[in-house]
Amino acid sequence: MKRNSRLSLALHTLSHMAGEPGRVRTSADIADHAGTNPVVVRRVLGKLREAGLLRSEKGHAGGWRLAKPAQSITLADVYLALDESLVSGPASEAEPGDCRVEANLQARVTEVLDDIEASLVARLRETKITDFHPSSCSYCGT
Amino acid sequence: MKRNSRLSLALHTLSHMAGEPGRVRTSADIADHAGTNPVVVRRVLGKLREAGLLRSEKGHAGGWRLAKPAQSITLADVYLALDESLVSGPASEAEPGDCRVEANLQARVTEVLDDIEASLVARLRETKITDFHPSSCSYCGT
DNA sequence: TAATACGTAACAATTGCGGTTGCATTAATA
DNA sequence: TATTAATGCAACCGCAATTGTTACGTATTA
Ligand code: FES
Ligand code: FES
C-alpha cells in the first residue's frame, strides 16, 4: 500500500481496539504503536469519530474508545468513514470543450469506476474488524 | 479523474486515432489537441508503443499511428499498457514487526484489492476504443 | 543539406501527504 | 484552586510524485 496509509492506520487501530474493547487509548499510545505522530492519529481517528465509529474524550483521563460493538464494524465502515475513494477519483474538471470523444470517454470510464467502487465496498463489508486480533499477544499484552 | 491524466491522455488519443486510422499524427498535433506538451505525449505514447498498440516513426514525415486494428484494442489493453494499478498500489513496505494485526490486515486487504483490480480489468476489456468517436465531427474534420 | 519529428535527459513548478510545532480548551486530580 | 494530561485545530516544513519545459542527439525525408 502506498496511498492508503490513512486507511492502514485506521484499520490497525480499530483492530487493536476490537481486541480489548474496554481500554481507553491516547493518541500518543496509538501513534507510538503505529510508528507515527499523535497529531496524525487524531486527524485520522477524527474522521472515524465523525462517522460514529469512535468516541473521544478530552482532559486528564481522556482518549479514544469504540463507540459501538466491535462486531458491528466492518472494513467498509472504516473505508467509507475516510471517504478516500480508492478507485473513482473526483471527476475530471476539464472544460466541456468541443470534443465528443472526451465526454464519451469520461462517461464510460466513470460508469465502470463507480461500479468497481461499489464492488469494493461490498467486498469490504464482508469482513469485521474483529477478524484480525490474535487471541493472545505478548507484545500488546492481551 | 485526477491521478489518471496519463490514462486519460492515452484513451483520448487512441480514440481519435480509431476514428481516422490511416492518419499519421505528430506529438505536437496531439499535444495541441489535448492541451498539453509534446514531450508528455511522447512519454505516454511510448508506453503504448512498448505494449504494441502504437508505432512511431522518426524523421520528416514521422509521427504516430495504430499498430493494429482499432477494433482489436480495448480499454483494458490501454490500462495495462500503462501499468498504473488504480486500486492495488504496491504492497506496504512496513517491516515484519511483532504485531500480528498488521500482517493479518495486510493479507486480507491485499486479497480484496487484487480481486477488485482483476474485476476492473475484466470490465475494461468489454469496451473497445472504437466506441467513442462520433461518426462526424467538424472540429477534427471527420 | 535543410527541415522535421522522435527519444531522452535534465530541470522547474505544482501538488498532496505525512510529520512537526504551538497553542487553546477541557477534564481529572492533588 | 492549581496542576497535569488529554484532545482540537491551525500553520508550516519536507518529501515524493506528477506534469510541464527546455535542450540536445538521432533518424528520416524532401
Ligand atoms: S471528436 Fe474530438 S475533436 Fe472531433
Ligand atoms: S497484535 Fe498488534 S501488538 Fe499485539
Side-chain angles (χ1 to χ4, degrees), chain B residues 5-6 36-37 39-40 43 58-60:
Chain B
S5 71
R6 286 191 298 266
T36 182
N37 190 288
V39 178
V40 174
R43 279 208 279 249
K58 293 182 168 183
H60 194 126

Side-chain angles (χ1 to χ4, degrees), chain A:
Chain A
M1 276 166 263
K2 171 82 63 61
R3 54 195 321 272
N4 335 27
S5 72
R6 285 192 295 268
L7 180 57
S8 293
L9 174 57
L11 291 176
H12 188 181
T13 303
L14 284 182
S15 296
H16 271 136
M17 285 178 163
E20 209 175 351
R23 179 168 161 199
V24 175
R25 294 154 201 260
T26 68
S27 57
D29 292 342
I30 297 167
D32 186 59
H33 185 67
T36 182
N37 190 288
V39 177
V40 174
V41 169
R42 290 198 287 264
R43 279 208 281 249
V44 172
L45 267 49
K47 302 282 267 183
L48 304 184
R49 182 189 49 219
E50 290 171 21
L53 304 181
L54 289 179
R55 291 174 47 204
S56 69
E57 269 147 36
K58 294 181 169 183
H60 192 129
W64 299 82
R65 80 189 72 186
L66 292 176
K68 43 195 271 194
Q71 302 285 350
S72 70
I73 302 178
T74 70
L75 300 191
D77 295 319
V78 183
Y79 173 75
L80 293 174
L82 300 178
D83 52 315
E84 297 226 313
S85 239
L86 242 51
V87 310
S88 64
S92 88
E93 66 282 345
E95 301 110 36
D98 301 314
C99 173
R100 286 299 303 158
V101 164
E102 192 69 48
N104 292 345
L105 265 171
Q106 164 73 16
R108 177 67 178 144
V109 171
T110 297
E111 180 188 356
V112 171
L113 258 39
D114 286 354
D115 280 4
I116 294 296
E117 172 90 16
S119 304
L120 172 58
V121 172
R123 288 293 309 272
L124 292 177
R125 207 175 292 284
E126 295 168 2
T127 307
K128 300 179 196 161
I129 63 166
T130 48
D131 294 351
F132 301 101
H133 201 290
S135 50
S136 79
C137 168
S138 58
Y139 192 26
C140 59
T142 53

Side-chain angles (χ1 to χ4, degrees), chain B residues 18-29:
Chain B
E20 209 175 352
R23 179 167 161 201
V24 175
R25 294 155 201 259
T26 68
S27 56
D29 293 343

Side-chain angles (χ1 to χ4, degrees), chain B residues 119-134:
Chain B
S119 304
L120 172 58
V121 172
R123 289 294 307 271
L124 293 177
R125 208 175 291 284
E126 294 167 4
T127 307
K128 300 178 196 161
I129 62 167
T130 49
D131 294 352
F132 301 100
H133 200 290

